[in-house]
Amino acid sequence: MLLIAAALEEELEAGLALCQDRKMIHGRVTSLWQAERNGKKICFLRTGFGPERSAASLDRALAVVKPAGILVIGYAGGLDVNLKLGYLVAVRRALAVSLDKDRPGWNHARIDDSFELADSEILARSAGAAGLTACTGDALTSAYVLGKPEHKALLYKKFQASIVDMETAALARVALQRSIPLSCVRAISDEVQDTFLAPFSHEPLGKIRSRIKRLMDAGMMQTFRQWRDHAAVARKSLSRFLSCYL
């Protein structure tokens, strides 16, 4: 049995909407569903966002279900300028990135752990078969939102990772502890030069007052509309991929 995991329910719906006989699995995990596609049972887990929350969710889910493999899906920010909105990246390695407490700038970010993921080439080929533009690449997993183009460009130059997200490496750590192969495919929801997430971006040396001012100055309704429009494109790519892959 395959377990598909995503941070947000709307990301998960890209797969759930393709399935039949959908039902919630009761128990300690309330964001866990079971469904069928083409006669096969598939479980779906909404992990919540961020490394700690998602890892704890997966750990609880694996006490309830015993999948043969895990597929992580969702949105990601592009770090490579060649990655455009809606493109898919099948992750080869998930890299856990953190900030140095003594030197908290993004230019001093470091890799704490690295995880080799399964089936990246297979996922990329499946995306291609669905008529999507896809590639393989590494993913940075950060505990913070990364929304400023200069920060994205800096991390790409430093680590050569294709995308950034907030869950993959943390989920990979849990899967490795359980000896369960984990793979990941993510759709680009914001390109390197996109700035609509910049008001939420973590400034290691900034103060909370300046962050609030950025949020007020950005125009929250406009920011929200941009996010929704971009997420809709990314979600469509995920749905087309899963329709072929599953």
Side-chain angles (χ1 to χ4, degrees):
M1 179 185 65
L2 176 68
L3 172 65
I4 297 179
L8 304 175
E9 191 162 344
E10 67 176 58
E11 294 169 326
L12 212 58
E13 279 290 339
L16 272 168
L18 300 171
C19 298
Q20 300 79 41
D21 299 325
R22 168 178 169 176
K23 63 180 180 181
M24 181 168 279
I25 299 175
H26 297 287
R28 293 171 58 199
V29 182
T30 58
S31 300
L32 186 63
W33 292 265
Q34 182 176 291
E36 288 191 12
R37 179 166 173 84
N38 297 327
K40 296 181 180 179
K41 290 184 178 180
I42 305 172
C43 282
F44 293 85
L45 172 68
R46 177 170 60 82
T47 67
F49 64 91
E52 292 187 7
R53 181 181 299 176
S54 62
S57 294
L58 181 57
D59 197 50
R60 290 193 300 269
L62 294 178
V64 178
V65 297
K66 308 298 181 185
I70 299 168
L71 173 64
V72 177
I73 63 170
Y75 310 147
L79 300 180
D80 183 340
V81 295
N82 296 307
L83 295 174
K84 304 303 179 183
L85 178 63
Y87 283 17
L88 293 182
V89 177
V91 180
R92 292 189 305 250
R93 292 189 305 159
L95 310 173
V97 65
S98 69
L99 294 171
D100 190 316
K101 292 181 180 180
D102 297 323
R103 299 180 299 169
W106 282 111
N107 55 315
H108 296 299
R110 65 190 183 198
I111 300 300
D112 292 328
D113 216 339
S114 174
F115 302 91
E116 297 288 335
L117 303 193
D119 299 335
S120 59
E121 295 291 346
I122 293 174
L123 295 176
R125 287 197 296 270
S126 292
L132 297 161
T133 301
C135 65
T136 60
D138 294 344
L140 291 182
T141 294
S142 167
Y144 305 105
V145 174
L146 197 72
K148 289 193 170 184
E150 59 266 33
H151 294 162
K152 298 177 191 176
L154 187 156
L155 290 182
Y156 180 71
K157 183 178 181 180
K158 189 177 180 71
F159 300 118
Q160 296 296 299
S162 299
I163 58 174
V164 61
D165 64 59
M166 298 181 72
E167 298 85 27
T168 306
L171 297 174
R173 181 179 289 108
V174 174
L176 179 63
Q177 291 169 350
R178 301 290 188 108
S179 299
I180 301 173
L182 182 142
S183 55
C184 176
V185 63
R186 290 188 177 270
I188 301 298
S189 56
D190 54 293
E191 300 176 21
V192 173
Q193 295 305 316
D194 284 330
T195 59
F196 60 88
L197 290 180
F200 302 93
S201 190
H202 179 65
E203 289 280 5
L205 300 176
K207 296 182 179 180
I208 187 66
R209 185 178 298 176
S210 62
R211 183 178 182 186
I212 293 173
K213 186 179 186 301
R214 290 202 313 271
L215 291 171
M216 296 296 292
D217 292 343
M220 293 309 298
M221 287 304 297
Q222 181 179 353
T223 297
F224 179 73
R225 283 195 295 268
Q226 284 183 288
W227 163 250
R228 297 305 301 173
D229 290 346
H230 281 234
V233 175
R235 186 166 60 254
K236 184 177 180 180
S237 292
L238 287 174
S239 181
R240 286 177 59 189
F241 162 76
L242 289 169
S243 180
C244 179
Y245 183 72
L246 299 176

